[in-house]
Amino acid sequence: MARTLRVLVQLMGWACVAIGLFHVALGNAAIPGAGSAGATVDSWGRFMGASFVGYGLAWLWAARQRPIPATAVRALSAAFLLGGLGRLISLAVLGWPQWFQIALAVIEVGLPPVLFWLAPSEERAAPRTAERGAALYRSPARDL
């Protein structure tokens, strides 16, 4: 489970950084079905793309920690889930979006519970790993 957590946290980080940079570079063209939404929406989308890069960097920061902090995974997952809930509110208020946005909503609502469940897995494994390491490097002189 700890390995799965590490892979998912790294994947989330790199995916968010790539998606954010894509939105910064392309603006409205990065949003399926948006067409020519105008300068205001383009400006907002590029800003949010930069924010998404920062969000991705937070995931990558968490992935570099040993063990990955469960609190960080839960907080980042909660933000991701909030975005998915926002998509569901939009669906309820305005109707069905372009199909790709529906696929994203499924990921944004479905993945956080998995990450919440996996969040403590590396922290739980860390004490056992530390104990094994200490046993391997115990000095015979200490046992005298």
Side-chain angles (χ1 to χ4, degrees):
M1 286 182 9
R3 174 80 175 136
T4 302
L5 173 67
R6 183 158 296 280
V7 168
L8 284 174
V9 169
Q10 289 174 346
L11 183 61
M12 283 292 290
W14 287 114
C16 292
V17 167
I19 292 165
L21 291 173
F22 185 67
H23 280 268
V24 169
L26 298 180
N28 287 341
I31 305 169
S36 154
T40 301
V41 174
D42 184 81
S43 173
W44 176 82
R46 290 176 197 264
F47 173 83
M48 293 309 292
S51 299
F52 209 55
V53 169
Y55 176 68
L57 292 174
W59 277 106
L60 291 174
W61 171 86
R64 292 179 53 96
Q65 307 307 304
R66 299 281 190 250
I68 294 174
T71 302
V73 172
R74 288 185 188 111
L76 292 166
S77 297
F80 197 60
L81 178 60
L82 184 60
L85 295 176
R87 287 191 196 270
L88 295 179
I89 292 169
S90 178
L91 188 148
V93 172
L94 299 172
W96 292 95
Q98 198 263 358
W99 72 268
F100 190 66
Q101 304 299 318
I102 297 166
L104 291 174
V106 169
I107 294 168
E108 292 159 355
V109 172
L111 187 57
V114 173
L115 289 164
F116 288 139
W117 176 63
L118 290 173
S121 62
E122 224 180 67
E123 287 181 348
R124 277 193 303 242
R128 289 190 300 257
T129 304
E131 288 169 10
R132 276 190 234 125
L136 288 174
Y137 297 106
R138 185 179 306 157
S139 167
R142 278 181 61 200
D143 293 335
L144 296 176

